[in-house]
Amino acid sequence: MASYRDSSIVQFNQENSRLCNERVKLSCILGIILVPLFGLLDFVIVPEKFFYFLSIRCMASFILVIILILSYMQIGKSYPSTLGFAAYVVVGLAISMMIRDFGGYESSYYAGLNLLFLAMG
């Protein structure tokens, strides 16, 4: 009876890891597309900082590409939640840098950070 229970736990952990890895891949793909795409708002809201913010966005997207590549490797299959957390931190830091450079919590970028908290959670 213990072996049945142990095999169920192993199957659950494997399925949970697989689903987490799929969600990491989806999150990275969405981030790679949406993070630079929201740069169009930078052009409207703060045209004087457009290229600076675009460089932050491109760097975040580049790191997300690396995380996406890692998610297809064995390390990504072994540690999918760590890669998901890394993707979350990368985008969060990018938005935080833009908030810092444009008005703090009163800026419209603060809403983007709240959106990240809701979407990635």
Side-chain angles (χ1 to χ4, degrees):
M1 183 156 182
S3 64
Y4 175 74
R5 175 182 252 177
D6 293 340
S7 68
S8 296
I9 292 171
V10 169
Q11 288 175 347
F12 173 79
N13 287 337
Q14 289 172 344
E15 180 67 14
N16 191 34
S17 181
R18 186 188 65 76
L19 286 173
C20 187
N21 190 296
E22 287 178 9
R23 290 183 182 127
V24 166
K25 291 173 186 174
L26 177 65
S27 297
C28 286
I29 291 169
L30 287 174
I32 290 165
I33 294 168
L34 293 177
V35 169
L37 190 62
F38 276 107
L40 297 174
L41 291 176
D42 298 337
F43 188 72
V44 174
I45 297 172
V46 281
E48 68 276 2
K49 294 188 179 194
F50 172 72
F51 290 107
Y52 174 65
F53 284 179
L54 185 63
S55 68
I56 293 172
R57 291 177 182 277
C58 288
M59 183 58 70
S61 291
F62 177 73
I63 295 171
L64 288 175
V65 167
I66 293 171
I67 293 172
L68 180 63
I69 292 169
L70 288 174
S71 71
Y72 283 97
M73 301 172 104
Q74 184 58 39
I75 190 168
K77 293 174 184 171
S78 300
Y79 302 103
S81 58
T82 303
L83 288 180
F85 182 73
Y88 177 73
V89 168
V90 165
V91 177
L93 285 175
I95 295 173
S96 296
M97 289 174 64
M98 291 184 277
I99 290 171
R100 181 197 65 196
D101 292 334
F102 185 66
Y105 69 91
E106 294 175 353
S107 75
S108 55
Y109 293 96
Y110 190 70
L113 193 59
N114 289 327
L115 181 65
L116 175 72
F117 291 151
L118 292 173
M120 293 296 278

